[in-house]
Short mmCIF file of all heavy atoms in Angstrom, two decimals:
data_model
loop_
_atom_site.label_atom_id
_atom_site.label_comp_id
_atom_site.label_asym_id
_atom_site.label_seq_id
_atom_site.Cartn_x
_atom_site.Cartn_y
_atom_site.Cartn_z
N TYR U 203 2.64 -1.72 -4.91
CA TYR U 203 2.73 -0.55 -5.78
C TYR U 203 3.49 -0.97 -7.03
O TYR U 203 4.33 -1.86 -6.98
CB TYR U 203 3.41 0.61 -5.05
CG TYR U 203 4.90 0.55 -5.05
CD1 TYR U 203 5.68 1.16 -6.05
CD2 TYR U 203 5.60 -0.07 -3.97
CE1 TYR U 203 7.04 1.10 -6.00
CE2 TYR U 203 6.95 -0.12 -3.95
CZ TYR U 203 7.72 0.48 -4.93
OH TYR U 203 9.06 0.42 -4.91
N THR U 204 3.21 -0.24 -8.08
CA THR U 204 3.83 -0.49 -9.39
C THR U 204 4.27 0.81 -9.99
O THR U 204 3.62 1.84 -9.83
CB THR U 204 2.81 -1.13 -10.37
OG1 THR U 204 2.16 -2.22 -9.73
CG2 THR U 204 3.51 -1.66 -11.60
N TYR U 205 5.46 0.79 -10.54
CA TYR U 205 5.98 1.98 -11.24
C TYR U 205 5.84 1.81 -12.73
O TYR U 205 6.20 0.79 -13.25
CB TYR U 205 7.44 2.21 -10.87
CG TYR U 205 8.07 3.30 -11.68
CD1 TYR U 205 7.74 4.63 -11.44
CD2 TYR U 205 9.01 3.03 -12.71
CE1 TYR U 205 8.30 5.66 -12.19
CE2 TYR U 205 9.57 4.05 -13.45
CZ TYR U 205 9.21 5.33 -13.20
OH TYR U 205 9.74 6.35 -13.92
N SER U 206 5.21 2.79 -13.34
CA SER U 206 4.97 2.81 -14.77
C SER U 206 4.13 1.61 -15.22
O SER U 206 3.26 1.13 -14.51
CB SER U 206 6.32 2.90 -15.49
OG SER U 206 6.11 3.27 -16.85
N SER U 207 4.33 1.14 -16.39
CA SER U 207 3.51 0.06 -16.96
C SER U 207 4.05 -1.33 -16.55
O SER U 207 5.19 -1.48 -16.10
CB SER U 207 3.47 0.12 -18.45
OG SER U 207 2.60 1.12 -18.88
N GLY U 208 3.23 -2.33 -16.76
CA GLY U 208 3.64 -3.66 -16.54
C GLY U 208 2.92 -4.39 -15.43
O GLY U 208 1.89 -3.90 -14.91
N ASN U 209 3.38 -5.58 -15.13
CA ASN U 209 2.78 -6.44 -14.08
C ASN U 209 3.67 -6.57 -12.90
O ASN U 209 4.93 -6.46 -13.03
CB ASN U 209 2.49 -7.82 -14.67
CG ASN U 209 1.46 -7.81 -15.73
OD1 ASN U 209 0.87 -6.78 -16.07
ND2 ASN U 209 1.19 -8.97 -16.26
N LYS U 210 3.09 -6.81 -11.75
CA LYS U 210 3.82 -7.13 -10.56
C LYS U 210 3.06 -8.15 -9.79
O LYS U 210 1.84 -8.00 -9.57
CB LYS U 210 4.05 -5.87 -9.73
CG LYS U 210 5.00 -6.03 -8.54
CD LYS U 210 5.24 -4.70 -7.89
CE LYS U 210 6.25 -4.78 -6.81
NZ LYS U 210 6.57 -3.44 -6.19
N GLU U 211 3.73 -9.21 -9.31
CA GLU U 211 3.07 -10.28 -8.68
C GLU U 211 3.58 -10.44 -7.25
O GLU U 211 4.80 -10.27 -7.01
CB GLU U 211 3.31 -11.60 -9.44
CG GLU U 211 2.46 -12.76 -9.00
CD GLU U 211 2.60 -13.97 -9.88
OE1 GLU U 211 2.65 -13.78 -11.14
OE2 GLU U 211 2.73 -15.06 -9.34
N ASP U 212 2.68 -10.73 -6.32
CA ASP U 212 3.09 -10.96 -4.93
C ASP U 212 2.11 -11.96 -4.37
O ASP U 212 1.01 -11.65 -4.00
CB ASP U 212 3.02 -9.67 -4.12
CG ASP U 212 3.54 -9.85 -2.71
OD1 ASP U 212 3.95 -10.96 -2.34
OD2 ASP U 212 3.49 -8.85 -1.94
N GLY U 213 2.55 -13.23 -4.32
CA GLY U 213 1.69 -14.29 -3.85
C GLY U 213 0.44 -14.45 -4.70
O GLY U 213 0.53 -14.61 -5.91
N ARG U 214 -0.74 -14.31 -4.10
CA ARG U 214 -1.99 -14.49 -4.83
C ARG U 214 -2.41 -13.19 -5.51
O ARG U 214 -3.42 -13.18 -6.22
CB ARG U 214 -3.09 -14.91 -3.84
CG ARG U 214 -2.86 -16.28 -3.20
CD ARG U 214 -4.04 -16.68 -2.32
NE ARG U 214 -4.25 -15.84 -1.16
CZ ARG U 214 -5.23 -14.97 -1.01
NH1 ARG U 214 -6.19 -14.89 -1.95
NH2 ARG U 214 -5.37 -14.27 0.08
N PHE U 215 -1.67 -12.11 -5.38
CA PHE U 215 -2.03 -10.80 -5.90
C PHE U 215 -1.16 -10.46 -7.09
O PHE U 215 0.06 -10.63 -7.05
CB PHE U 215 -1.86 -9.74 -4.82
CG PHE U 215 -2.75 -9.94 -3.62
CD1 PHE U 215 -2.37 -10.72 -2.56
CD2 PHE U 215 -4.05 -9.39 -3.58
CE1 PHE U 215 -3.18 -10.92 -1.44
CE2 PHE U 215 -4.87 -9.55 -2.52
CZ PHE U 215 -4.44 -10.37 -1.41
N THR U 216 -1.83 -9.94 -8.14
CA THR U 216 -1.09 -9.42 -9.29
C THR U 216 -1.64 -8.04 -9.63
O THR U 216 -2.85 -7.85 -9.76
CB THR U 216 -1.27 -10.36 -10.52
OG1 THR U 216 -0.76 -11.61 -10.23
CG2 THR U 216 -0.53 -9.74 -11.75
N ALA U 217 -0.74 -7.07 -9.74
CA ALA U 217 -1.11 -5.72 -10.17
C ALA U 217 -0.72 -5.52 -11.59
O ALA U 217 0.40 -5.95 -12.02
CB ALA U 217 -0.47 -4.69 -9.26
N GLN U 218 -1.52 -4.91 -12.36
CA GLN U 218 -1.29 -4.70 -13.78
C GLN U 218 -1.57 -3.24 -14.11
O GLN U 218 -2.59 -2.66 -13.66
CB GLN U 218 -2.25 -5.57 -14.57
CG GLN U 218 -1.80 -5.95 -15.94
CD GLN U 218 -2.73 -7.07 -16.50
OE1 GLN U 218 -3.89 -6.82 -16.86
NE2 GLN U 218 -2.20 -8.27 -16.54
N VAL U 219 -0.70 -2.63 -14.91
CA VAL U 219 -0.88 -1.24 -15.32
C VAL U 219 -0.78 -1.17 -16.83
O VAL U 219 0.16 -1.66 -17.45
CB VAL U 219 0.23 -0.33 -14.71
CG1 VAL U 219 0.10 1.11 -15.25
CG2 VAL U 219 0.15 -0.34 -13.19
N ASP U 220 -1.76 -0.54 -17.42
CA ASP U 220 -1.81 -0.31 -18.88
C ASP U 220 -1.89 1.23 -19.06
O ASP U 220 -2.96 1.78 -19.03
CB ASP U 220 -2.99 -0.99 -19.50
CG ASP U 220 -3.02 -0.81 -21.03
OD1 ASP U 220 -2.27 0.06 -21.55
OD2 ASP U 220 -3.80 -1.51 -21.70
N LYS U 221 -0.75 1.86 -19.22
CA LYS U 221 -0.75 3.29 -19.28
C LYS U 221 -1.36 3.80 -20.58
O LYS U 221 -1.89 4.94 -20.64
CB LYS U 221 0.69 3.84 -19.16
CG LYS U 221 1.25 3.68 -17.72
CD LYS U 221 2.56 4.36 -17.59
CE LYS U 221 2.40 5.88 -17.55
NZ LYS U 221 3.65 6.60 -17.37
N SER U 222 -1.27 3.01 -21.67
CA SER U 222 -1.87 3.44 -22.92
C SER U 222 -3.38 3.55 -22.81
O SER U 222 -4.00 4.44 -23.46
CB SER U 222 -1.46 2.50 -24.04
OG SER U 222 -1.99 1.21 -23.79
N SER U 223 -3.98 2.71 -21.99
CA SER U 223 -5.43 2.76 -21.77
C SER U 223 -5.81 3.52 -20.51
O SER U 223 -7.02 3.67 -20.24
CB SER U 223 -5.98 1.32 -21.74
OG SER U 223 -5.68 0.63 -22.90
N LYS U 224 -4.82 3.92 -19.74
CA LYS U 224 -5.05 4.57 -18.44
C LYS U 224 -5.98 3.70 -17.60
O LYS U 224 -7.04 4.14 -17.11
CB LYS U 224 -5.64 6.00 -18.62
CG LYS U 224 -4.70 6.94 -19.36
CD LYS U 224 -5.25 8.32 -19.29
CE LYS U 224 -4.37 9.34 -20.01
NZ LYS U 224 -4.38 9.19 -21.46
N TYR U 225 -5.48 2.49 -17.37
CA TYR U 225 -6.31 1.45 -16.72
C TYR U 225 -5.38 0.60 -15.85
O TYR U 225 -4.34 0.16 -16.31
CB TYR U 225 -6.91 0.60 -17.87
CG TYR U 225 -7.97 -0.39 -17.41
CD1 TYR U 225 -9.30 -0.04 -17.32
CD2 TYR U 225 -7.61 -1.74 -17.16
CE1 TYR U 225 -10.26 -1.01 -16.95
CE2 TYR U 225 -8.56 -2.66 -16.80
CZ TYR U 225 -9.87 -2.26 -16.71
OH TYR U 225 -10.86 -3.22 -16.35
N ILE U 226 -5.79 0.40 -14.59
CA ILE U 226 -5.00 -0.45 -13.74
C ILE U 226 -5.92 -1.54 -13.14
O ILE U 226 -7.12 -1.32 -12.99
CB ILE U 226 -4.25 0.26 -12.66
CG1 ILE U 226 -5.16 0.82 -11.58
CG2 ILE U 226 -3.40 1.42 -13.23
CD1 ILE U 226 -4.46 1.31 -10.34
N SER U 227 -5.30 -2.68 -12.87
CA SER U 227 -6.07 -3.80 -12.33
C SER U 227 -5.33 -4.42 -11.18
O SER U 227 -4.11 -4.44 -11.11
CB SER U 227 -6.32 -4.86 -13.42
OG SER U 227 -7.02 -4.33 -14.51
N LEU U 228 -6.13 -5.05 -10.26
CA LEU U 228 -5.61 -5.94 -9.22
C LEU U 228 -6.33 -7.25 -9.34
O LEU U 228 -7.56 -7.25 -9.31
CB LEU U 228 -5.80 -5.30 -7.84
CG LEU U 228 -5.34 -6.19 -6.70
CD1 LEU U 228 -3.77 -6.26 -6.66
CD2 LEU U 228 -5.87 -5.72 -5.35
N PHE U 229 -5.59 -8.32 -9.52
CA PHE U 229 -6.17 -9.66 -9.58
C PHE U 229 -5.84 -10.40 -8.29
O PHE U 229 -4.72 -10.34 -7.80
CB PHE U 229 -5.59 -10.45 -10.74
CG PHE U 229 -5.92 -9.81 -12.10
CD1 PHE U 229 -5.05 -9.00 -12.73
CD2 PHE U 229 -7.17 -10.04 -12.71
CE1 PHE U 229 -5.32 -8.41 -13.95
CE2 PHE U 229 -7.46 -9.47 -13.93
CZ PHE U 229 -6.56 -8.65 -14.54
N ILE U 230 -6.84 -11.05 -7.76
CA ILE U 230 -6.68 -11.87 -6.57
C ILE U 230 -7.01 -13.30 -6.97
O ILE U 230 -8.17 -13.59 -7.38
CB ILE U 230 -7.55 -11.42 -5.40
CG1 ILE U 230 -7.39 -9.92 -5.12
CG2 ILE U 230 -7.22 -12.28 -4.14
CD1 ILE U 230 -8.35 -9.40 -4.07
N ARG U 231 -6.04 -14.19 -6.88
CA ARG U 231 -6.28 -15.60 -7.21
C ARG U 231 -6.71 -16.37 -5.93
O ARG U 231 -6.30 -15.98 -4.83
CB ARG U 231 -5.02 -16.28 -7.80
CG ARG U 231 -4.63 -15.78 -9.17
CD ARG U 231 -3.43 -16.55 -9.64
NE ARG U 231 -2.26 -16.35 -8.83
CZ ARG U 231 -1.50 -15.26 -8.87
NH1 ARG U 231 -1.78 -14.25 -9.69
NH2 ARG U 231 -0.47 -15.16 -8.05
N ASP U 232 -7.46 -17.44 -6.15
CA ASP U 232 -7.86 -18.28 -5.04
C ASP U 232 -8.34 -17.40 -3.82
O ASP U 232 -7.82 -17.49 -2.74
CB ASP U 232 -6.69 -19.14 -4.59
CG ASP U 232 -7.06 -20.18 -3.56
OD1 ASP U 232 -8.28 -20.58 -3.49
OD2 ASP U 232 -6.19 -20.60 -2.77
N SER U 233 -9.30 -16.59 -4.12
CA SER U 233 -9.80 -15.65 -3.09
C SER U 233 -10.30 -16.38 -1.85
O SER U 233 -10.89 -17.49 -1.92
CB SER U 233 -10.88 -14.74 -3.67
OG SER U 233 -11.95 -15.54 -4.19
N GLN U 234 -10.04 -15.74 -0.70
CA GLN U 234 -10.39 -16.29 0.60
C GLN U 234 -11.37 -15.35 1.31
O GLN U 234 -11.36 -14.14 1.04
CB GLN U 234 -9.13 -16.47 1.44
CG GLN U 234 -8.09 -17.36 0.80
CD GLN U 234 -8.52 -18.76 0.68
OE1 GLN U 234 -8.99 -19.37 1.63
NE2 GLN U 234 -8.41 -19.29 -0.55
N PRO U 235 -12.14 -15.88 2.21
CA PRO U 235 -13.04 -14.96 2.99
C PRO U 235 -12.26 -13.85 3.69
O PRO U 235 -12.78 -12.73 3.86
CB PRO U 235 -13.69 -15.92 4.02
CG PRO U 235 -13.74 -17.23 3.33
CD PRO U 235 -12.48 -17.26 2.49
N SER U 236 -10.99 -14.12 4.05
CA SER U 236 -10.17 -13.09 4.68
C SER U 236 -9.79 -11.97 3.77
O SER U 236 -9.28 -10.91 4.17
CB SER U 236 -8.89 -13.70 5.25
OG SER U 236 -8.17 -14.35 4.23
N ASP U 237 -10.04 -12.15 2.47
CA ASP U 237 -9.80 -11.06 1.46
C ASP U 237 -10.97 -10.05 1.44
O ASP U 237 -10.87 -9.03 0.78
CB ASP U 237 -9.61 -11.63 0.07
CG ASP U 237 -8.36 -12.49 -0.09
OD1 ASP U 237 -7.36 -12.25 0.59
OD2 ASP U 237 -8.43 -13.48 -0.86
N SER U 238 -12.05 -10.38 2.15
CA SER U 238 -13.19 -9.45 2.20
C SER U 238 -12.79 -8.14 2.81
O SER U 238 -12.39 -8.11 3.96
CB SER U 238 -14.36 -10.10 2.97
OG SER U 238 -14.79 -11.29 2.34
N ALA U 239 -12.87 -7.11 2.04
CA ALA U 239 -12.40 -5.77 2.48
C ALA U 239 -12.73 -4.79 1.37
O ALA U 239 -13.31 -5.16 0.34
CB ALA U 239 -10.90 -5.79 2.73
N THR U 240 -12.40 -3.55 1.60
CA THR U 240 -12.48 -2.52 0.52
C THR U 240 -11.10 -2.33 -0.02
O THR U 240 -10.12 -2.18 0.68
CB THR U 240 -13.03 -1.20 1.11
OG1 THR U 240 -14.39 -1.41 1.56
CG2 THR U 240 -13.05 -0.11 0.05
N TYR U 241 -11.00 -2.34 -1.35
CA TYR U 241 -9.73 -2.16 -2.05
C TYR U 241 -9.72 -0.79 -2.75
O TYR U 241 -10.60 -0.46 -3.51
CB TYR U 241 -9.54 -3.27 -3.07
CG TYR U 241 -9.34 -4.60 -2.39
CD1 TYR U 241 -10.38 -5.35 -1.88
CD2 TYR U 241 -8.05 -5.11 -2.18
CE1 TYR U 241 -10.18 -6.52 -1.21
CE2 TYR U 241 -7.82 -6.31 -1.53
CZ TYR U 241 -8.93 -7.01 -1.03
OH TYR U 241 -8.68 -8.20 -0.37
N LEU U 242 -8.71 -0.01 -2.40
CA LEU U 242 -8.57 1.35 -2.94
C LEU U 242 -7.37 1.41 -3.84
O LEU U 242 -6.27 0.94 -3.51
CB LEU U 242 -8.37 2.37 -1.82
CG LEU U 242 -9.48 2.47 -0.78
CD1 LEU U 242 -8.92 2.26 0.60
CD2 LEU U 242 -10.14 3.81 -0.87
N CYS U 243 -7.55 2.01 -5.03
CA CYS U 243 -6.37 2.32 -5.84
C CYS U 243 -5.96 3.75 -5.52
O CYS U 243 -6.75 4.58 -5.09
CB CYS U 243 -6.67 2.15 -7.34
SG CYS U 243 -7.96 3.25 -7.97
N ALA U 244 -4.67 4.01 -5.72
CA ALA U 244 -4.14 5.35 -5.54
C ALA U 244 -3.03 5.57 -6.56
O ALA U 244 -2.37 4.65 -7.02
CB ALA U 244 -3.59 5.53 -4.11
N MET U 245 -2.85 6.81 -6.89
CA MET U 245 -1.85 7.14 -7.95
C MET U 245 -1.14 8.47 -7.60
O MET U 245 -1.69 9.33 -6.94
CB MET U 245 -2.58 7.35 -9.28
CG MET U 245 -3.44 6.17 -9.60
SD MET U 245 -4.36 6.32 -11.12
CE MET U 245 -5.41 4.90 -10.97
N SER U 246 0.10 8.54 -8.11
CA SER U 246 0.81 9.81 -7.97
C SER U 246 1.74 9.99 -9.20
O SER U 246 2.05 9.02 -9.87
CB SER U 246 1.65 9.85 -6.70
OG SER U 246 2.71 8.97 -6.74
N ALA U 247 2.07 11.24 -9.40
CA ALA U 247 2.86 11.54 -10.62
C ALA U 247 4.31 11.11 -10.53
O ALA U 247 4.88 10.56 -11.49
CB ALA U 247 2.74 13.04 -10.94
N THR U 248 4.94 11.32 -9.37
CA THR U 248 6.33 10.93 -9.21
C THR U 248 6.52 10.48 -7.78
O THR U 248 5.64 10.74 -6.92
CB THR U 248 7.29 12.11 -9.47
OG1 THR U 248 7.13 13.10 -8.45
CG2 THR U 248 7.07 12.70 -10.83
N SER U 249 7.64 9.89 -7.47
CA SER U 249 7.86 9.44 -6.10
C SER U 249 8.02 10.65 -5.18
O SER U 249 7.77 10.58 -3.99
CB SER U 249 9.17 8.59 -5.99
OG SER U 249 10.29 9.40 -6.39
N GLY U 250 8.42 11.78 -5.75
CA GLY U 250 8.58 12.98 -4.94
C GLY U 250 7.28 13.69 -4.71
O GLY U 250 7.20 14.60 -3.89
N THR U 251 6.24 13.29 -5.42
CA THR U 251 4.93 13.95 -5.24
C THR U 251 4.24 13.31 -4.03
O THR U 251 4.06 12.12 -3.96
CB THR U 251 4.01 13.72 -6.47
OG1 THR U 251 4.68 14.29 -7.59
CG2 THR U 251 2.64 14.39 -6.29
N TYR U 252 3.90 14.14 -3.05
CA TYR U 252 3.35 13.55 -1.87
C TYR U 252 1.84 13.40 -1.91
O TYR U 252 1.23 12.71 -1.10
CB TYR U 252 3.71 14.42 -0.64
CG TYR U 252 3.40 15.87 -0.75
CD1 TYR U 252 2.14 16.36 -0.50
CD2 TYR U 252 4.39 16.77 -1.14
CE1 TYR U 252 1.83 17.69 -0.60
CE2 TYR U 252 4.12 18.14 -1.24
CZ TYR U 252 2.85 18.58 -0.98
OH TYR U 252 2.58 19.89 -1.08
N LYS U 253 1.18 14.04 -2.91
CA LYS U 253 -0.28 13.93 -2.97
C LYS U 253 -0.65 12.70 -3.82
O LYS U 253 -0.40 12.64 -5.01
CB LYS U 253 -0.87 15.18 -3.62
CG LYS U 253 -0.92 16.35 -2.65
CD LYS U 253 -1.66 17.50 -3.31
CE LYS U 253 -1.59 18.73 -2.41
NZ LYS U 253 -2.17 19.91 -3.04
N TYR U 254 -1.27 11.76 -3.14
CA TYR U 254 -1.82 10.64 -3.83
C TYR U 254 -3.28 10.97 -4.19
O TYR U 254 -3.98 11.59 -3.39
CB TYR U 254 -1.85 9.38 -2.96
CG TYR U 254 -0.48 8.80 -2.63
CD1 TYR U 254 0.69 9.33 -3.07
CD2 TYR U 254 -0.40 7.64 -1.83
CE1 TYR U 254 1.93 8.74 -2.79
CE2 TYR U 254 0.79 7.06 -1.51
CZ TYR U 254 1.96 7.64 -1.98
OH TYR U 254 3.16 7.05 -1.65
N ILE U 255 -3.72 10.49 -5.34
CA ILE U 255 -5.11 10.59 -5.70
C ILE U 255 -5.70 9.18 -5.52
O ILE U 255 -5.26 8.25 -6.15
CB ILE U 255 -5.30 11.08 -7.14
CG1 ILE U 255 -4.52 12.39 -7.39
CG2 ILE U 255 -6.79 11.28 -7.41
CD1 ILE U 255 -4.95 13.56 -6.47
N PHE U 256 -6.74 9.11 -4.66
CA PHE U 256 -7.35 7.82 -4.35
C PHE U 256 -8.64 7.61 -5.13
O PHE U 256 -9.39 8.58 -5.37
CB PHE U 256 -7.68 7.72 -2.88
CG PHE U 256 -6.46 7.49 -1.99
CD1 PHE U 256 -5.68 8.55 -1.57
CD2 PHE U 256 -6.14 6.17 -1.58
CE1 PHE U 256 -4.54 8.30 -0.77
CE2 PHE U 256 -5.04 5.97 -0.78
CZ PHE U 256 -4.26 7.03 -0.37
N GLY U 257 -8.90 6.34 -5.47
CA GLY U 257 -10.23 5.98 -5.95
C GLY U 257 -11.16 5.88 -4.75
O GLY U 257 -10.74 5.94 -3.60
#
Side-chain angles (χ1 to χ4, degrees):
Chain U
Y203 82 91
T204 310
Y205 172 70
S206 195
S207 282
N209 293 359
K210 188 172 185 179
E211 190 173 318
D212 184 1
R214 296 184 296 109
F215 298 88
T216 300
Q218 204 169 73
V219 174
D220 181 348
K221 291 188 71 181
S222 62
S223 302
K224 297 192 180 68
Y225 188 88
I226 71 169
S227 300
L228 177 71
F229 297 97
I230 307 174
R231 289 184 299 282
D232 187 25
S233 56
Q234 302 295 309
S236 58
D237 295 327
S238 299
T240 296
Y241 290 80
L242 300 125
C243 62
M245 307 177 188
S246 70
T248 67
S249 64
T251 301
Y252 52 83
K253 282 186 186 175
Y254 291 0
I255 308 299
F256 284 84

